[in-house]
Amino acid sequence: MVIAVQEEGNETIRPLVELTVKRLSRVERRRVPELHYLPLEKLKDQNSLIDADYLIASASVFAALEKYSGLKAVASVRPVISVNPDHAASTAILVDKQSSLKTLKDLKRKVIGVPAGSSPDERIHVLNELKVQGFSDPKFVDFKAISANCEEWLKNFRNGSIDALALNPLSFKKIPESFRMQMNLLEPRIKDDYILGHTTATYPGWVMAATLEAGKKETLYMEAFLKSLPAVDGLSWAPQADYRQLHQVLTSLDDPFYKSFRKRTWREIVEENLIWFALAGVLIFSWLLHTLFTTALVNKRTRELSEANERRLKAEEHYHNLEKASIVGQMSNIVAHELRQPLAAISNYSLAIRRRLSKGNLDEEALSFAISKLMSESGRASEIIEHVQRYAKGKPSDWKSFSIDELLRSICDNYLDSQQNPLVRYEAKGGQEFNGDPLEVELIVRNLIKNAIEAAEQTKSPDILLTLESEKGAFRITVSDNGLEISDDTLLNLREPLKSTKIGGLGLGLSIVKRISEAYEGHVEFVKNTPTGLKVTVWLYSKARKDK
């Protein structure tokens, strides 16, 4: 009776194999059991097992032989500490305690040492664990064969030739305690069916399989005999494990040993891939039909594209007309909004003149002052209308060079209380010339000041500050107030156009500020003031449209 044994990695089960042969020689009267150790390269040859009755091999090697050579499992090796033979093997990934590697993710582009003479199972366990955790790149780690001497392993760690070590947990358990104390187990599993320290998932272990030479009756006898043997070195024979999951793992990893274990004939390839060959034939036939109708379809599509392009041009022209009409509508809203201030001023000054006339105390100086104010406000209203007309007709703004500092000071002079005290404090840090439309800048500032005054009306001591700062061609205009505390939702709404927090408000003021600032390649920022109130900052760039 010839029992072939896989040479690589059998050290851990050798005591069990030797006991098995020893006991078998006592009960087997007709044939003497013999052990033949075969390396993996030898096992790739189908004829290597032609004279063997049984094979003892690691799980991955057996899976390949089961698929391609018809071997049948008789019994599986199970550590006595494992629950069942389906969870009888795993791999421990060890790193030096001085290493910074803590997880499998840290192994990217690192070298894992595999002791010489190990079975291929350790490498397969590691690759599948990496794939399960999302590291499916075949070049994620490199494997390197190293000496089987544990004393050499530390040298490999110290000289940097390896970064981690893949080891059978049973082998790791047997090495000297002094070495184990210098190692860390990477991502140890503590809640599964395998008690020994390990990193990867658990799989079936070594197996004794019957070749085609062994009869069915003899195989049943061998199975019963193996189960009757006692455990040796913590290992025993158990009922054959379920290797179907391992087949799936080897297939998904495209394992070279598993895939190319036995060369197949052309007939087998065709039979296994009959559906794909049929599909290829259908695709070729479809491609031929497609070639026959290509010219006709191209001509038809060309005509359709030409017609679609004409329709697109007409649609774009219609859209531009609608857009122009929309702009005119927006300008009308701006006129209605911006004319409120000068018209209100005209009305107030007119009422003041009438009131002083009725009282008989209208002197020439007061009349002259009121008339100058009426002319100024009417002129500003005329400028607003003219400015809007230019926008509606698509004409460029009236850009020129002016002192933005002087403009802001003149605007602040118009905001006085009943005692002729200024309502707005003004601070300037730099007053260089600004290239742009003065009216547009005035619209920005007046809208912001108006909003600040309304926000601070409910406070005992309103404090409104207008500041001007310049830096490398950019001007920063800030209006801050000490109004009521602003919620986060209100602050968020301020950033959206055409939204107002005031009763009856349209939200056009800030919309105008944003549109004009963007025309100067700038933007608007809203920040809560401390302790209460709001700070609005507008960025304007003087050279944004200098060429227009």
Side-chain angles (χ1 to χ4, degrees), residues 158-206:
R158 300 292 189 260
N159 62 29
S161 60
I162 64 170
D163 302 287
L165 177 67
L167 199 63
N168 186 316
L170 291 171
S171 300
F172 181 59
K173 181 182 178 182
K174 295 179 180 180
I175 61 179
E177 181 72 16
S178 59
F179 174 78
R180 280 187 287 165
M181 294 298 295
Q182 299 183 62
M183 293 291 105
N184 277 337
L185 180 62
L186 211 59
E187 293 193 16
R189 291 175 179 259
I190 57 175
K191 293 184 179 180
D192 59 14
D193 298 333
Y194 193 74
I195 297 177
L196 290 178
H198 60 289
T199 302
T200 69
T202 54
Y203 302 87
W206 283 67

Side-chain angles (χ1 to χ4, degrees), residues 479-542:
V479 177
S480 62
D481 62 72
N482 62 341
L484 299 177
E485 186 176 356
I486 296 177
S487 66
D488 293 336
D489 291 339
T490 302
L491 190 66
L492 183 63
N493 286 334
L494 292 175
R495 297 187 175 96
E496 299 184 21
L498 303 181
K499 279 196 175 184
S500 176
T501 58
K502 296 179 289 186
I503 299 176
L506 298 176
L508 283 170
L510 291 179
S511 178
I512 293 170
V513 171
K514 293 175 184 177
R515 178 181 58 80
I516 296 176
S517 65
E518 289 171 357
Y520 287 86
E521 297 183 5
H523 62 279
V524 184
E525 297 177 353
F526 301 92
V527 180
K528 290 183 181 180
N529 221 350
T530 303
T532 60
L534 179 68
K535 180 184 294 184
V536 184
T537 302
V538 180
W539 289 83
L540 302 176
Y541 290 86
S542 178

Side-chain angles (χ1 to χ4, degrees), residues 27-88:
V27 299
E28 183 62 46
R29 303 286 184 182
R30 297 178 294 110
R31 295 185 297 173
V32 178
E34 297 179 2
L35 292 178
H36 290 183
Y37 289 92
L38 300 177
L40 289 177
E41 288 299 322
K42 185 73 173 178
L43 287 174
K44 287 183 179 180
D45 183 4
Q46 183 180 7
N47 296 324
S48 63
L49 298 175
I50 196 170
D51 295 327
D53 299 286
Y54 298 96
L55 170 68
I56 300 177
S58 62
S60 60
V61 174
F62 164 72
L65 289 165
E66 181 186 35
K67 179 174 182 179
Y68 295 115
S69 298
L71 269 68
K72 300 295 181 182
V74 177
S76 296
V77 176
R78 177 181 72 86
V80 293
I81 59 174
S82 66
V83 176
N84 58 62
D86 292 339
H87 306 281

Side-chain angles (χ1 to χ4, degrees), residues 345-346 349 353 364-380 414:
I346 291 173
Y349 283 117
I353 292 173
E364 183 177 351
E365 182 180 354
L367 179 62
S368 176
F369 174 78
I371 292 175
S372 65
K373 288 294 184 180
L374 289 173
M375 293 179 63
S376 174
E377 294 299 328
S378 64
R380 192 161 69 88
N414 292 324

